[in-house]
Amino acid sequence: MLADDGRINKRLGAGSVVLERSETDPRLSADLTDLMTQIGEMGRATTARLLSIVYEPVPPRVASALNLAPDAKVPTAVRVRSFGQ
């Protein structure tokens, strides 16, 4: 996948080498005037997969910051987001 994206160069017997990022990579732009368009496009081109969700006790510092009871439980979700697949 990294080789297909041009991020690494794989050579048999020599291993893999990380390639320098192109300044013209269309996925990364320093032009902030187009930021909302880029964020919207990434949102349409990504998928998310939920790996797990559990309810756990809140750490005391977090409970205090969120004005929750010290024994409150909150959901903790673990997910993987993929871009361009």
Side-chain angles (χ1 to χ4, degrees):
M1 180 177 213
L2 292 173
D4 294 338
D5 290 344
R7 305 275 184 208
I8 64 171
N9 184 9
K10 295 173 81 173
R11 292 188 187 170
L12 188 60
S16 300
V17 177
V18 176
L19 299 176
E20 298 229 6
R21 184 174 291 163
S22 168
E23 293 297 323
T24 60
D25 188 338
R27 292 174 290 181
L28 301 172
S29 173
D31 182 7
L32 296 180
T33 60
D34 198 29
L35 180 61
M36 293 308 294
T37 303
Q38 290 179 21
I39 290 172
E41 179 58 31
M42 286 188 72
R44 286 187 293 276
T46 62
T47 58
R49 186 172 56 137
L50 182 64
L51 300 180
S52 68
I53 187 164
V54 296
Y55 284 81
E56 301 179 308
V58 178
R61 196 167 131 197
V62 174
S64 175
L66 297 176
N67 294 320
L68 298 173
D71 61 345
K73 291 189 177 187
V74 296
T76 300
V78 177
R79 63 186 181 155
V80 175
R81 183 168 296 277
S82 301
F83 177 70
Q85 291 183 342

